[in-house]
Amino acid sequence: MAIADKLVLQRQRHLKWRWLDWLELVLMIICGLLCFGFSLSVTADIVTRTIGHPWLWLQEVTSTLFIYAIFVGTAAATRRNDHLYLTAISEAMHGTPRIIVEVIIRLIVLGVAFCLIWYGYQNYLRGFGSFRLPSGTPIASLYAIIPLSGILVGLFTIEQLVNGLRNGFDHPEPPDEDAAAVVTEAQMRAQP
């Protein structure tokens, strides 16, 4: 199984366009790299402080990686229906009530995406007046990811709205192959 098959979630396939799968793959890889980089920079920061020779710029790197991971992860989770989504309410319903709740939820998420774009861009522009120490980098470098994340959240929400209204939101999920294999192995062990 290719790495792309493992990183691009096949759950709720009826709500996704295949041509955006590459973007989900890229976002998942970036999330992994950001989390790895964050962990590495925190470890290096602790080690350098412990040995008495702190690298102050590591705090800037750590905060940047953390902030970028949050907003890239938000976009990826929106595509995967793992974030900003109230599943318990909508999955308990069927028919017209479910469609209404699903549309309302996604309209709220679109409102959040608009706020990320609008206010994130305003903060980005204001960030050129403040600088991070010790590097002197404009704080705008931290805020640049916020409107981009809002654009991606909006794109993925529109994708789900269009496909949900076209194909329906209520589709039974195929059984998970990995879970079926685990159950089968457990059943095999239980037999005398």
Side-chain angles (χ1 to χ4, degrees):
M1 180 177 274
I3 185 108
D5 295 332
K6 292 181 180 181
L7 291 179
V8 176
L9 196 62
Q10 297 303 313
R11 182 172 36 97
Q12 296 184 334
R13 190 78 238 170
H14 65 285
L15 297 177
K16 299 177 181 180
W17 291 318
R18 293 233 179 251
W19 62 272
L20 284 177
D21 285 353
W22 69 271
L23 187 54
E24 181 179 347
L25 176 64
V26 168
L27 290 173
M28 291 302 294
I29 291 170
I30 291 172
C31 279
L33 292 173
L34 289 168
C35 288
F36 177 75
F38 172 77
S39 300
L40 192 62
S41 68
V42 167
T43 302
D45 191 29
I46 292 169
V47 169
T48 59
R49 286 177 183 279
T50 301
I51 63 174
H53 299 287
W55 296 346
L56 298 178
W57 58 269
L58 275 173
Q59 291 182 351
E60 288 185 49
V61 170
T62 301
S63 64
T64 301
L65 292 171
F66 182 70
I67 290 168
Y68 274 63
I70 289 169
F71 287 101
V72 171
T74 298
T78 300
R79 173 80 183 343
R80 299 162 67 92
N81 265 341
D82 287 339
H83 193 57
L84 298 173
Y85 184 64
L86 305 171
T87 58
I89 296 170
S90 63
E91 287 180 358
M93 300 177 176
H94 299 284
T96 305
R98 175 153 186 182
I99 292 172
I100 292 169
V101 169
E102 294 275 6
V103 169
I104 289 171
I105 288 170
R106 284 176 174 82
L107 289 176
I108 291 169
V109 173
L110 272 178
V112 170
F114 175 77
C115 289
L116 286 171
I117 295 167
W118 181 259
Y119 295 110
Y121 184 67
Q122 288 179 352
N123 281 332
Y124 170 73
L125 293 177
R126 286 189 195 122
F128 286 104
S130 300
F131 301 93
R132 302 177 71 190
L133 294 175
S135 71
T137 307
I139 286 192
S141 65
L142 288 178
Y143 298 149
I145 193 64
I146 299 171
L148 178 60
S149 175
I151 290 168
L152 292 172
V153 167
L155 171 67
F156 296 144
T157 303
I158 290 169
E159 170 192 34
Q160 292 168 10
L161 261 173
V162 168
N163 287 323
L165 291 172
R166 185 179 294 157
N167 304 325
F169 291 99
D170 192 10
H171 277 264
E173 293 299 321
D176 186 15
E177 295 174 13
D178 294 335
V182 170
V183 170
T184 305
E185 290 174 19
Q187 290 172 344
M188 295 288 271
R189 282 189 229 123
Q191 294 178 354

